[in-house]
Amino acid sequence: MTSARHENQLMIPEGVLLGHALVARLAGSLGIRVFFIKGPASVTQGLREAKISADVDVFVDPSKVEELLQGLHERGWRQRPADPDDRTFPKHSVTVHHAAWPCCIDVHFRFPGMERTAYDCFEALWANTVHMQLAGQRLRVPTKALGILFLALHALRSHELPACRQELEYLAVLTRRDSQAEALLELASATGALAAVRPFLEGLLPEPIAPAWPEPSREWRNRVAAQAPGSARIIAIVQAPWGEKPNILWRAVRPGREVLLGANIYADMSLPGRFRQHGARWVRFLVALPRLTGDLRKLRSNGD
């Protein structure tokens, strides 16, 4: 086990390890509860096959998000531009970057698929964290069962992608091998994730256990349905009240500067560069149109 963990650690870029250490020290100095999800912790715990981590994913007490972001800002980190449209893209994290660092930090305050309020959900999550030695620090990370829940929900959002299907298969084998299904059920119930995780968990539970599965929320159905480029905006337009449709449509046709920079922080924002990006968006939209139509059909079949 020690040698396997050492091999996995070799897949973690130094910048990512230092990013974990930076956030852990900062949060500790401010008295803020944080724990780290996905990334190196998941690989080290054996929840994921060895892969290179590209950024730092930290989950923070929702009541302290602004305090942590301010602390990062004072150390040179800046919030990455993001689409301000909360209807189309409900926010669950804030991404910050630093000119001198080779990775970003994703500051999570909620997680898609977990439907309890952010504050109640965090308490349930915090109660299911453990300490791990990583990046020269004693860090808080999810228990194995909670780590599986995070990864399963993340993969279920894009379950049609081969990489996500492969991850779900890997997690299913791990869940059976380590008898984690009942612990997963308890965590999903505590965080309001039963509806979202059902496609993964239902077939893993022992036969006598038959929970009352709730219906997934509209936000979750939209996230799962919006697989094609542009489909999230089209879904938002279809579902919005008539008075709000023109504004959403206008933002889709003429995205703001922050939308273009959110896709690529180094994007060419000169006039010719913006024209090229607008053209590329339309090409992606037209190529994806048949799949987008299928996404809408799926939603309508569910009554949305």
Side-chain angles (χ1 to χ4, degrees):
M1 178 63 73
T2 302
S3 61
R5 286 188 175 181
H6 179 67
E7 290 172 5
N8 286 339
Q9 292 279 7
L10 297 179
M11 301 293 293
I12 306 171
E14 183 179 7
V16 173
L17 287 173
L18 291 174
H20 280 75
L22 167 74
V23 176
R25 287 197 299 269
L26 173 60
S29 69
L30 296 173
I32 298 174
R33 292 180 296 170
V34 301
F35 62 95
F36 296 87
I37 62 175
K38 302 187 291 181
S42 296
V43 174
T44 304
Q45 287 176 306
L47 305 183
R48 267 182 166 171
E49 296 176 328
K51 60 189 295 185
I52 296 177
S53 297
D55 52 25
V56 176
D57 288 282
V58 60
F59 208 116
V60 60
D61 178 347
S63 66
K64 301 290 185 179
V65 174
E66 294 304 325
E67 192 174 339
L68 182 64
L69 290 175
Q70 180 60 31
L72 288 167
H73 183 84
E74 291 170 358
R75 287 156 178 78
W77 293 83
R78 297 294 179 263
Q79 188 168 331
R80 185 166 181 162
D83 195 315
D85 183 1
D86 281 334
R87 173 183 288 276
T88 305
F89 306 101
K91 299 295 185 291
H92 61 273
S93 65
V94 178
T95 301
V96 295
H97 67 99
H98 192 299
W101 285 70
C103 67
C104 292
I105 299 173
D106 290 330
V107 180
H108 296 257
F109 51 88
R110 57 185 288 264
F111 202 82
M114 296 181 177
E115 304 292 350
R116 290 190 67 187
T117 66
Y119 301 99
D120 290 341
C121 194
F122 182 80
E123 295 304 328
L125 298 175
W126 184 255
N128 286 275
T129 59
V130 294
H131 284 104
M132 171 185 288
Q133 197 70 23
L134 187 69
Q137 301 284 317
R138 192 166 176 257
L139 307 182
R140 282 260 188 180
V141 301
T143 61
K144 180 171 283 191
L146 182 55
I148 292 172
L149 180 59
F150 275 125
L151 294 177
L153 288 172
H154 187 262
L156 285 166
R157 281 155 55 185
S158 304
H159 62 92
E160 294 180 0
L161 295 179
C164 290
R165 289 200 303 269
Q166 182 178 352
E167 181 147 67
L168 288 169
E169 291 168 3
Y170 181 88
L171 291 170
V173 170
L174 181 66
T175 300
R176 289 192 184 96
R177 188 195 71 193
D178 293 354
S179 302
Q180 293 286 338
E182 292 183 54
L184 271 172
L185 176 62
E186 183 177 342
L187 280 168
S189 299
T191 58
L194 269 179
V197 82
R198 180 179 181 178
F200 170 76
L201 181 58
E202 189 171 23
L204 300 174
L205 291 170
E207 194 169 317
I209 300 178
W213 300 100
E215 289 298 315
S217 67
R218 169 175 278 190
E219 178 188 337
W220 181 255
R221 294 196 302 270
N222 287 353
R223 283 186 183 275
V224 173
Q227 299 299 311
S231 58
R233 292 192 188 278
I234 298 299
I235 290 168
I237 292 169
V238 170
Q239 294 178 344
W242 280 101
E244 297 180 21
K245 291 181 190 291
N247 286 336
I248 300 175
L249 180 58
W250 178 251
R251 288 196 298 265
V253 174
R254 293 290 301 272
R257 177 186 179 91
E258 65 275 12
V259 176
L260 301 177
L261 287 172
N264 176 10
I265 197 170
Y266 302 110
D268 179 3
M269 295 307 293
S270 67
L271 187 59
R274 294 178 73 166
F275 273 119
R276 284 194 296 271
Q277 290 176 74
H278 283 300
R281 284 169 61 88
W282 278 104
V283 169
R284 290 195 297 271
F285 174 77
L286 293 173
V287 168
L289 196 55
R291 190 177 175 197
L292 188 153
T293 304
D295 290 347
L296 287 175
R297 286 202 191 101
K298 287 179 189 175
L299 273 183
R300 285 176 176 168
S301 68
N302 289 329
D304 288 305

